[in-house]
Amino acid sequence: MIDVSAIPMEEHVRFMRLALEEARAAELADEVPAGCVIVEPTGDGLSADARILGRGRNSVEAAHDPTAHAEMRAISEACRARGDFRLDGTILYVTKEPCAMCAGAIVLARIPLVVWGMSDPARGGQSVFGILDSEALINRSAVVDGVCGEECLEMMRGFFRARRRGG
């Protein structure tokens, strides 16, 4: 199990910046700007040599696939990298709170820690449904929220502002 308290906030910020890069790439492709990275820590916490197992960005429009969310893409890539569907001991960083579908996949992949930027109190898999720490499930994920939250929120707001203006 990952000791959440042992990971300094600056390490969370460092990996959230990588998720933000994925979100920017999604936005440039005219996709909702959500990005994700899955990290395998070395030793007791994160360090410079932590391994990135998977990256993902929203690609729903391009893939014509409603499941092509950033988290789903990153989970698939991480599972291929590990050669196993079990991603225990990893940390998932995502710019926006996972939806119910993605939260379910996170639990099934046994990812013990999820770090997100902006919460989604209207549709979030944790905020609305409590999936990540549901006592009804065998596997649960701890959560750290609000990492680079303002930056993540502003990116999302800017994207939808531009869409409403037709840009």
Side-chain angles (χ1 to χ4, degrees), residues 4-138:
V4 176
S5 64
I7 303 171
M9 185 55 68
E10 57 267 14
E11 290 300 304
H12 288 317
V13 169
R14 180 166 66 101
F15 288 103
M16 185 61 73
R17 295 247 175 262
L18 296 176
L20 279 160
E21 287 176 16
E22 294 296 325
R24 283 186 199 90
E27 184 174 30
L28 288 173
D30 206 27
E31 299 276 356
V32 172
C36 181
V37 295
I38 298 176
V39 177
E40 183 173 49
T42 55
D44 292 334
L46 293 172
S47 65
D49 58 344
R51 180 175 168 215
I52 295 174
L53 294 176
R55 295 174 184 262
R57 64 182 71 125
N58 270 4
S59 56
V60 171
E61 299 292 339
H64 308 291
D65 180 354
T67 69
H69 289 196
E71 300 94 325
M72 301 298 276
R73 298 290 185 156
I75 289 169
S76 292
E77 188 174 295
C79 289
R80 281 191 301 275
R82 208 180 236 192
D84 194 348
F85 76 89
R86 296 169 194 88
L87 297 176
D88 50 306
T90 64
I91 304 172
L92 183 144
Y93 290 89
V94 64
T95 55
K96 185 183 101 30
E97 177 183 354
C99 70
M101 173 186 67
C102 292
I106 289 165
V107 169
L108 290 172
R110 302 176 186 180
I111 298 171
L113 178 58
V114 179
V115 180
W116 68 69
M118 62 170 278
S119 292
D120 187 354
R123 291 169 292 284
Q126 182 60 24
S127 295
V128 177
F129 302 103
I131 294 169
L132 295 173
D133 65 358
S134 173
E135 291 184 17
L137 301 172
I138 295 170

